[in-house]
């Protein structure tokens, strides 16, 4: 487990931020500016006024063009729709910039493969913001699961995000919970139950979709996903069953402020050492491959 208690002995990584929506303002800009491992070097967004609003609290520069942002930083963080991210991140990788990517890393499998190919050809560091995986409680759950004899699992990721508000965005409404919540649940099932060999889906991802995963170790897991249900609070829960006691991951009481220092430290460490961690773009591609299995039927 990464320790953020030790002093940071390197220069802060200068990170440019692409995007200026609620997630960029509420998480990425704030977390990157908090340091000491990183500093917010600049912000670029399609709407200049939103970029200014995002950059101003931290005294960061506002870039007039994406290429201008690349000139001011050594790494780029993205908080934009998947299709936009895949295009711009590919350009950033070719420019030699380390990448902090959102999930999913692209809108479709072909774009995800092209992005990962560009990252590997350029030899740049990458990391994916799979929020749960940076929380200490999640890591304890995954570690405990690695020592358990798991036969099967069930998961439930539900929210009302698509019913209105800041996250009822066009790409989420078009593609639904599979593309938005799918990376989270498939990542957790793959990490805790065992490597997924096959996943099938039933239902409408814009309303409710059920996933059935077959794992290489013989276990079977199922997951219910929806972003369109009227729930007072979001549900993100994974339950593992086998020969030992039940193991449960439940995000309802997690304070995600504990995730961000871990994410920031691990990304900056990867940049300074030149070595990506487990949750890199290749991990994002694996999750995109599993999602494509569902879409293809």
């Amino acid at each position: 487990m990464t320790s953020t208690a030790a002093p940071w002995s390197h220069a802060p990584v200068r990170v440019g931020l692409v995007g200026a929506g609620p997630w960029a303002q509420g998480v990425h800009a704030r977390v990157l500016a908090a340091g000491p491992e990183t500093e917010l070097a600049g912000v670029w967004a399609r709407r200049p006024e939103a970029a200014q609003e995002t950059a101003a609290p931290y005294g960061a520069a506002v870039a007039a063009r994406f290429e201008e942002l690349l000139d001011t930083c050594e790494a780029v963080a993205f908080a934009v729709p998947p299709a936009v991210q895949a295009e711009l991140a590919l350009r950033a990788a070719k420019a030699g910039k380390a990448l902090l990517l959102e999930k999913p890393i692209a809108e479709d499998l072909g774009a995800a493969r092209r992005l990962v190919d560009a990252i590997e050809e350029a030899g740049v560091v990458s990391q994916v913001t799979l929020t749960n995986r940076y929380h200490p409680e999640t890591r304890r759950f995954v570690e405990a699961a690695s020592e358990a004899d798991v036969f099967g699992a069930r998961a439930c990721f539900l929210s009302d995000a698509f019913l209105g508000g800041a996250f009822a965005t066009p790409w989420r409404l078009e593609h639904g919970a599979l593309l938005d919540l799918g990376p989270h649940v498939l990542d957790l099932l793959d990490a805790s139950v065992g490597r997924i060999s096959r996943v099938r889906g039933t239902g409408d991802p814009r309303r409710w979709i059920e996933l059935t995963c077959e794992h290489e170790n013989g276990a079977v897991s199922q997951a219910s996903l929806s972003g369109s249900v009227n729930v007072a609070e979001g549900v993100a829960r994974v339950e593992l069953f086998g020969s030992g006691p039940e193991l449960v991951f439940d995000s309802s009481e997690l304070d995600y402020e504990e995730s961000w220092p871990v994410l920031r430290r691990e990304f900056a460490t990867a940049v300074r050492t030149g070595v990506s961690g487990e949750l890199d773009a290749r991990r994002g591609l694996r999750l995109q491959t599993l999602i494509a299995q569902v879409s293809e039927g």
Side-chain angles (χ1 to χ4, degrees), residues 66 78 80-94 105-107 111 114-115:
F66 178 63
F78 294 86
V80 290
V84 178
Q85 172 175 264
E87 176 191 348
L88 295 178
L90 188 150
R91 291 163 59 185
K94 289 182 176 180
I105 64 170
E107 190 171 280
R114 288 191 292 274
L115 173 56

Side-chain angles (χ1 to χ4, degrees), residues 60-84:
V62 175
R65 298 177 298 109
F66 178 63
E67 291 73 16
E68 181 181 322
L69 182 75
L70 295 181
D71 289 340
T72 67
C73 65
E74 55 189 306
V76 186
F78 294 86
V80 290
V84 178

Side-chain angles (χ1 to χ4, degrees), residues 82 102-106 128-133 155-159 162 171-172 175-191 196 199-201 205-206 209-213 221-227 235-236 238 283-292 294-295:
E102 269 299 329
K103 58 78 208 167
I105 64 170
V128 181
T129 308
L130 290 160
T131 309
N132 290 309
R133 291 292 296 281
C156 190
F157 277 55
L158 308 174
S159 83
F162 303 164
W171 74 267
R172 288 184 173 92
H175 297 283
L178 180 60
L179 201 59
D180 185 28
L181 301 176
H184 288 305
V185 70
L186 290 170
D187 172 64
L188 282 173
L189 290 172
D190 191 73
I196 297 171
V199 56
R200 303 184 304 276
R206 292 167 295 185
I209 187 167
E210 293 284 338
L211 304 182
T212 298
C213 304
S221 62
Q222 293 185 308
S224 304
L225 304 179
S226 180
V235 177
V238 179
R283 179 63 174 175
L285 177 58
R286 167 155 175 75
L287 300 176
Q288 198 102 34
T289 303
L290 294 175
I291 288 169
V294 178
S295 300

Side-chain angles (χ1 to χ4, degrees), residues 7 36 47 52 57 68 105 107 109 122 136 139 141 144 150-151 155 170 172 200 213-214 216-217 220 222 246 262 292:
R47 295 179 296 119
Q52 179 61 43
E68 181 181 322
I105 64 170
E107 190 171 280
L109 184 56
R139 296 190 168 185
F141 167 74
V150 179
F151 303 165
R172 288 184 173 92
R200 303 184 304 276
C213 304
E214 300 171 14
E216 290 181 356
N217 57 13
V220 176
Q222 293 185 308
E246 175 189 7
V262 178

